[in-house]
Amino acid sequence: MSGSLSSEVRTDTGGTKMRIGILGTGMVATALGSAWARAGHEVVVGGRSPEKARALAAEWGARAATPREVAVESDAVLLAVLWDGVDDMLRLAGAAEGTLSGKPLMDATNAVDHGIGVLHRANAEHVAETAIGAQVVKAFHLYPAEQWNGDTSGVVVPLSGDDEGALAVVSGLVRDTGAEPWHFGKLDSARQLEEVAGFVIRLFFAGADPRAAIPGRSRRG
């Protein structure tokens, strides 16, 4: 199955059943991994802590593996770690050696300081430069982890990426969480999405509702 999509089984939402790799064992990784397992996908999880990976895999009925095994064996991979752990996780996965080449790599990371929202770098582009040959798609970086454990109807997930095939795959995985994908632009537009994440984080930790800062449509009558 390594490196190719498995087309013989379909999920309830119409997407192809896949082997999805999760690089990370935090809250976002947990929420999305469990959502995809519920949708019928095969999930394999790896992190810097093998113990945490095994515990999560047991919860989902999934499989724990090393980060390199996750990269090599999966059809698509989610990168969901704190931004200052991105380089270490990609190193463990062998990304610079091409282990993720030709595969959709969903970047759910935000290179911002916790509670402050200052953007340190265009992280999706950094991931693409580090993960040789990977089809990087910015996705799943705007909503808190608990969003994916509840009602996701009406949730829109913006996506940025250069590869149309990878965008199609990730769009299907978005729908498998109950949300809807929206193609925002090429990968070089991901920085705008990351700036939005910083804006949202800063308002949230200041005690403000980020939604209140976005103008709504006027109502008549």
Side-chain angles (χ1 to χ4, degrees):
M1 179 187 264
S2 176
S4 61
L5 303 186
S6 304
S7 59
E8 62 273 48
V9 182
R10 310 293 288 185
T11 66
D12 291 341
T13 54
T16 302
K17 181 179 179 182
M18 301 171 65
R19 178 179 291 168
I20 304 174
I22 309 290
L23 292 173
T25 56
M27 295 176 66
V28 172
T30 299
L32 289 170
S34 59
W36 287 324
R38 290 194 301 270
H41 294 292
E42 181 182 355
V43 178
V44 56
V45 58
R48 287 177 287 182
S49 168
E51 293 78 14
K52 286 185 179 179
R54 285 194 292 268
L56 286 181
E59 286 182 21
W60 307 338
R63 183 168 65 86
T66 67
R68 178 179 282 271
E69 289 169 338
V70 169
V72 170
E73 298 175 10
S74 300
D75 299 322
V77 175
L78 173 74
L79 176 64
V81 296
L82 295 177
W83 78 271
D84 54 2
V86 163
D87 289 343
D88 191 35
M89 182 60 77
L90 290 177
R91 178 186 60 79
L92 291 171
E97 303 166 42
T99 55
L100 291 160
S101 182
K103 299 180 182 183
L105 174 59
M106 296 168 277
D107 172 31
T109 64
N110 290 310
V112 298
D113 289 328
H114 185 69
I116 298 175
V118 175
L119 187 69
H120 289 275
R121 68 187 180 196
N123 214 48
E125 292 179 81
H126 175 77
V127 170
E129 291 169 358
T130 305
I132 301 301
Q135 300 165 346
V136 177
V137 177
K138 192 73 186 184
F140 299 110
H141 76 297
L142 280 177
Y143 291 96
E146 56 266 23
Q147 173 73 66
W148 307 110
N149 292 321
D151 182 10
T152 55
S153 58
V155 171
V156 174
V157 178
L159 309 177
S160 287
D162 293 335
D163 187 271
E164 292 296 325
L167 286 166
V169 169
V170 177
S171 293
L173 294 176
V174 169
R175 293 189 179 99
D176 284 342
T177 69
E180 284 297 321
W182 178 49
H183 294 186
F184 183 74
K186 297 291 187 180
L187 192 64
D188 60 8
S189 70
R191 184 184 180 93
Q192 290 177 269
L193 295 179
E194 294 167 347
E195 290 279 13
V196 171
F199 167 78
V200 168
I201 289 168
R202 189 162 187 169
L203 282 177
F204 178 81
F205 278 92
D209 182 353
R211 293 172 297 182
I214 301 173
R217 290 181 295 181
S218 62
R219 297 180 180 180
R220 297 181 180 179

